[in-house]
Amino acid sequence: MAINRIAIGSAGEVNRPDTIRAAFAEFFSMVIFVFAGQGSGMAYGKLTGDGPATPSGLVAASLSHAFALFVAVSVGANVSGGHVNPAVTFGAFIGGNITLLRAILYWIAQLLGAVVACLLLKVSTGGMETAAFSLSHGVTPWNAVVFEIVMTFGLVYTVYATAVDPKKGDIGIIAPLAIGLIVGANILVGGAFDGASMNPAVSFGPAVVSWSWTNHWVYWVGPFIGAAIAAIVYDTIFIDSNGHEPLPSSDF
């Protein structure tokens, strides 16, 4: 079972060159992702004069985040695994695929990357606001927690199926593409309700720069629960099980 493989790690791990390189990879991937994703929202606001949210704005947010995450995961995959999300890192930890100490370094790098990206956006746009995630009218914090649990479950389940599962084979760019697409699709679902974060770092960066923390806990609790459930479910049913036998390529 996944939880049985959870590991703390050794003190020397944090000083290893590969661990440090991986943390830097997460930092730069997060800068790329948040700058493009958050920046597209700011650009849309400038073009519309900060008008009300529209369906076209939601589609634009979905596409920009999907494209940016596809790139961010791709460029980090060979160094850090391309997590680009504290919830994904938590899911990997729950599944025994990363030690706690390495995960902590990833979390620090991811959070710093998100903050730096938002600061760069604030400076480069001449002081425009980097809006923090918030709940729409009529959406309670617990509604949003459920949204974030379900959406992050789909994201981390996709990560496990395309990037973690040892039976995945050589699928090249399919993993980053699938990860980007599920985030884009989930934004179309949840964006109008709670912003569809699925990523505590993406919520943390704008919250720090704008210093707006209303219901911020939602964007940590929901994604971490969803990630843990996805890791346990996928690992228990599909990785630990010996009942799955991939079809030979000649059968396709």
Side-chain angles (χ1 to χ4, degrees):
M1 185 159 178
I3 295 180
N4 295 335
R5 297 197 301 271
I6 286 179
I8 302 301
S10 62
E13 183 178 12
V14 297
N15 296 319
R16 283 167 39 187
D18 63 312
T19 304
I20 295 172
R21 283 194 297 268
F24 272 110
E26 287 295 309
F27 171 81
F28 288 116
S29 287
M30 187 60 75
V31 170
I32 292 169
F33 177 47
V34 174
F35 190 89
Q38 181 78 10
S40 69
M42 295 169 70
Y44 187 84
K46 183 175 179 63
L47 291 172
T48 59
D50 290 322
T54 63
S56 61
L58 185 62
V59 172
S62 169
L63 290 175
S64 64
H65 282 82
F67 291 156
L69 187 58
F70 168 52
V71 173
V73 172
S74 297
V75 299
N78 292 333
V79 183
S80 66
H83 294 191
V84 203
N85 186 335
V88 170
T89 301
F90 185 67
F93 166 68
I94 291 295
N97 297 290
I98 185 173
T99 66
L100 178 60
L101 291 179
R102 191 180 182 101
I104 290 172
L105 282 182
Y106 276 31
W107 289 329
I108 293 171
Q110 291 158 354
L111 295 176
L112 285 175
V115 172
V116 168
C118 289
L119 287 172
L120 289 171
L121 282 167
K122 190 173 183 67
V123 171
S124 60
T125 59
M128 285 183 64
E129 180 186 6
T130 54
F133 279 71
S134 61
L135 310 185
S136 298
H137 177 71
V139 178
T140 70
W142 291 109
N143 294 149
V145 167
V146 173
F147 256 115
E148 292 295 325
I149 288 173
V150 177
M151 291 186 295
T152 311
F153 175 90
L155 168 58
V156 176
Y157 187 93
T158 301
V159 170
Y160 261 78
T162 61
V164 176
D165 193 332
K167 299 187 294 293
K168 67 184 184 299
D170 184 13
I171 55 177
I173 65 167
I174 294 299
L177 179 60
I179 292 165
L181 288 176
I182 189 59
V183 166
N186 279 340
I187 288 173
L188 292 176
V189 176
F193 297 92
D194 76 335
S197 172
M198 299 165 274
N199 189 327
V202 167
S203 305
F204 182 78
V208 169
V209 175
S210 65
W211 207 251
S212 176
W213 301 98
T214 304
N215 295 317
H216 183 72
W217 63 271
V218 165
Y219 303 104
W220 287 84
V221 173
F224 269 54
I225 293 175
I229 295 172
I232 293 170
V233 167
Y234 194 94
D235 191 280
T236 301
I237 297 176
F238 300 111
I239 295 181
D240 276 356
S241 173
N242 294 318
H244 169 67
E245 182 68 32
L247 291 173
S249 59
S250 60
D251 289 351
F252 287 90

